[in-house]
Amino acid sequence: MSTTRTGTTAANIEKAAHALERFRAAPLGHFIAGRPQPGTSGELFDDLSPIGGNRLCQVVCGNEQDVDAAAQAARAAFPAWRQVPGESRRALLHRIADLIVARSEQIALIECMDTGQALRFMSKAAERAAENFRFFAERAPGAADGLALPAAEHMNYTVRQPIGPVAVITPWNTPFMLSTWKIAPALAAGCTVVHKPAEWSPLTAMLLAEIVTEAGVPPGVLNLVNGIGERTGRFLTEHPAIRATAFIGESSTGSLVMSQGAPTLKRVHLELGGKNPVIVFEDADLERALDAVIFMIYSLNGERCTSSSRLLVQRSIHDRFVARLAERIGRLKVGHPLDPATEIGPLIHARHLGKVLSYFDVARDEGAEIRCGGRPAALGGNFVEPTLLTGARNDMRIAQEEIFGPVLTVVPFQDEAEALALANDVRYGLTAYIWTENAGRALRMAHAVDAGMVWVNSENNRHLPTPFGGMKASGIGRDGGDYSFDFYMETKNICLAHGTHRVPRLGT
Ligand code: NAD
């Protein structure tokens, strides 16, 4: 067991057990109109530990009435919340950020235990969530700002107003941080929210609801319903009081969210899956590229939408680069998520482990080589060995499908044209990472690759004003900066006449 600034494993486990006690005491319900609510369904499901599969908590599965109560609470709170001046919303959002920071250790420990993500990454989850609130806090006063668009005899100007109550539906991989990425701009814009967290990691969503209330945000502005996606999530996306759905999850679920919202003409924002290429040319700074390739697929257990799960590497350096990769992968530390030394924790759920393991058979059947890993890790639970698949072709399933685990597929390429063709020959288009010291090539590739976000000579490095989102099956819409307000707000044009133009006269 190791010690770092994030404590010792034993001390962390003890603190986590203490933090989780409240969830053992009673089933986790909803949070509606400023209060915890047990719901009306009486139906419960288990939230299981990724480490040993034991039950962390029982969770209420929201039925149609529960979803309706949450949506009605959001509808009732909207008229007053939209009138709260931007400066006051700014102060409230900063207060939320302060409270998140004050509870950051508790949030990190619970998040690790619920998701299996390693503490070295989750210790920053609360900080990043707080940053999201601070960033959109500062933008709240200007959220309604528009443009002046004068014509000869008319003055046009635009204003933005909040779209109304919105649904926020989030996945299980880094739930706390991801939910704030949606909820902070929604609240800054003046929208009210019903949040449905993922059924495999629902715990920290309740902490956020409590924090938002403690900060002084009025009841009904942020509501939470727990439940199973196909039912609770579906009811929410169908509810007529909900004007828009901000969704993060799988591409196939994104399609359902769109169709479920179609009868009520809901606006949808979809952040979906990826099979993101990291393209390493022979002229790259190979040491930095190696670090970034490893970080972008093996951090967060590879359960990250922006993971560089497809390594396209130039043939001239392929063997050398892959040998270095294999050596480093062999040294990755798989362990308890609360061990500060752990780099890879257990996968979220036994079912997800089964999915990831199934790709090792697919790799063998397709004729690829399992160069590292390819088995459950000896620790039991949902642990899996970090895996490197080589000798792959881009048309293999291991190069086309999102595995969402610590599994890297390597495909060699000959030249720039082939690299581009391989990069784009996939249904997804979330991110791309390009490694070359040739500036012209970097520009050519960056402009031609099908990806909503491109990093050149860098791992994923987020800057909150920049747009975040994907092309093709990776999503619709952008988050970040002002782009978030395009989703959570309506743009209205107001046209005033100077009183000089000729009004057409009929019936004279
Ligand atoms: P998922 O699609 O199974 O579930 C996501 C959420 O949708 C959960 O809360 C679930 O309960 C809910 N849901 C399921 N069916 C629903 C339905 N019919 N109607 C409404 N809601 C429903 O995804 P997951 O397995 O939780 O998360 C992993 C996926 O999320 C991966 O594909 C990953 O790439 C993606 N992801 C994308 C981003 C991004 O920013 N693009 C970020 C993180 C994760």
Side-chain angles (χ1 to χ4, degrees):
M1 292 198 183
S2 6
T3 317
T4 69
R5 69 179 178 89
T6 38
T8 64
T9 314
N12 291 337
I13 290 175
E14 201 180 315
K15 278 194 247 174
H18 181 67
L20 287 168
E21 253 166 39
R22 58 169 285 191
F23 294 109
R24 281 197 207 97
L28 180 68
H30 316 308
F31 194 93
I32 299 173
R35 289 190 293 126
Q37 304 273 358
T40 55
S41 74
E43 193 186 331
L44 301 175
F45 63 92
D46 288 342
D47 177 28
L48 303 177
S49 158
I51 303 164
N54 54 306
R55 186 166 80 195
L56 291 174
C57 177
Q58 285 192 302
V59 187
V60 171
C61 182
N63 60 12
E64 217 161 343
Q65 271 169 286
D66 299 349
V67 170
D68 184 55
Q72 296 301 353
R75 172 148 65 186
F78 178 63
W81 180 244
R82 67 180 294 184
Q83 296 301 335
V84 170
E87 282 72 16
S88 307
R89 281 207 295 275
R90 170 166 60 189
L92 283 167
L93 265 62
H94 275 300
R95 175 103 183 99
I96 295 170
D98 294 342
L99 292 172
I100 290 175
V101 171
R103 288 170 80 170
S104 58
E105 187 182 60
Q106 182 197 18
I107 293 166
L109 293 171
I110 294 175
E111 193 86 322
C112 288
M113 294 302 286
D114 207 11
T115 62
Q117 299 285 10
L119 185 60
R120 68 165 59 225
F121 305 117
M122 287 304 101
S123 61
K124 299 181 193 95
E127 279 165 40
R128 286 196 53 193
E131 276 168 29
N132 289 341
F133 274 102
R134 293 202 196 288
F135 178 81
F136 286 108
E138 286 306 311
R139 295 198 166 223
D145 291 354
L147 297 172
L149 300 164
E153 293 180 287
H154 289 85
M155 180 60 208
N156 288 275
Y157 70 95
T158 66
V159 287
R160 289 193 299 199
Q161 56 192 54
I163 190 168
V166 297
V168 171
I169 301 182
T170 47
W172 44 258
N173 53 339
T174 52
F176 190 80
M177 198 285 292
L178 280 178
S179 67
T180 62
W181 183 230
K182 301 285 185 192
I183 292 170
L187 299 187
C191 294
T192 54
V193 174
V194 180
H195 177 206
K196 202 219 68 78
E199 48 269 51
W200 283 353
S201 61
L203 301 185
T204 51
M206 185 56 83
L207 301 187
L208 183 63
E210 290 168 359
I211 285 171
V212 167
T213 306
E214 192 185 333
V217 172
V221 172
L222 174 63
N223 307 278
L224 159 68
V225 277
N226 273 302
I228 304 294
E230 293 77 1
R231 281 183 282 153
T232 318
R234 180 167 63 79
F235 298 143
L236 185 56
T237 57
E238 289 172 347
H239 199 286
I242 299 293
R243 298 302 318 132
T245 302
F247 172 81
I248 311 178
E250 280 190 21
S251 301
S252 54
T253 321
S255 302
L256 291 174
V257 166
M258 261 185 121
S259 62
Q260 291 160 190
T264 47
L265 290 175
K266 274 186 192 40
R267 185 181 287 181
V268 288
H269 186 173
L270 306 176
E271 286 186 20
L272 309 174
K275 189 73 179 179
N276 309 299
V278 50
I279 308 161
V280 182
F281 287 94
E282 61 190 2
D283 62 5
D285 179 335
L286 295 181
E287 288 305 312
R288 287 173 71 80
L290 186 68
D291 287 343
V293 167
I294 293 168
F295 179 75
M296 280 312 303
I297 181 64
Y298 298 108
S299 61
L300 298 176
N301 301 342
E303 296 165 323
R304 106 193 257 171
C305 56
T306 53
S307 75
S308 57
S309 51
R310 235 174 0 131
L311 169 61
L312 308 181
V313 61
Q314 199 152 18
R315 274 191 200 282
S316 52
I317 56 163
H318 174 275
D319 293 356
R320 194 157 43 106
F321 197 78
V322 166
R324 293 286 311 283
L325 252 178
E327 188 190 314
R328 288 274 294 277
I329 293 166
R331 292 206 294 265
L332 286 169
K333 292 171 198 71
V334 181
H336 194 289
L338 296 183
D339 182 339
T342 291
E343 292 170 319
I344 300 184
L347 300 182
I348 181 81
H349 194 276
R351 210 154 72 215
H352 187 55
L353 174 73
K355 171 186 160 179
V356 171
L357 295 178
S358 75
Y359 277 97
F360 303 151
D361 292 331
V362 171
R364 281 185 208 97
D365 292 348
E366 289 184 317
E369 185 195 341
I370 299 182
R371 177 77 178 256
C372 304
R375 289 177 309 190
L379 296 159
N382 303 335
F383 290 93
V384 65
E385 290 182 348
T387 297
L388 181 65
L389 307 176
T390 55
R393 287 189 324 270
N394 206 55
D395 62 354
M396 292 179 174
R397 285 181 58 199
I398 54 170
Q400 291 287 325
E401 297 177 14
E402 186 184 45
I403 300 173
F404 218 56
V407 182
L408 178 61
T409 302
V410 187
V411 179
F413 69 84
Q414 194 61 36
D415 54 18
E416 190 179 315
E418 193 187 8
L420 181 64
L422 294 174
N424 286 345
D425 181 20
V426 72
R427 65 192 279 256
Y428 296 106
L430 189 58
T431 68
Y433 305 87
I434 298 165
W435 286 86
T436 174
E437 293 291 294
N438 178 329
R441 169 181 283 162
L443 279 170
R444 290 191 297 275
M445 290 292 296
H447 283 247
V449 72
D450 296 339
M453 295 166 283
V454 179
W455 278 275
V456 176
N457 295 333
S458 179
E459 79 288 11
N460 168 345
N461 215 294
R462 286 287 297 131
H463 181 48
L464 298 184
T466 61
F468 185 102
M471 298 180 178
K472 302 199 296 196
S474 291
I476 296 176
R478 296 291 179 268
D479 270 324
D482 204 52
Y483 300 94
S484 295
F485 292 144
D486 284 341
F487 179 72
Y488 295 107
M489 303 184 88
E490 295 279 18
T491 297
K492 178 186 277 180
N493 188 63
I494 297 167
C495 180
L496 286 94
H498 290 226
T500 53
H501 73 287
R502 198 179 72 81
V503 179
R505 300 183 72 199
L506 302 179
T508 54

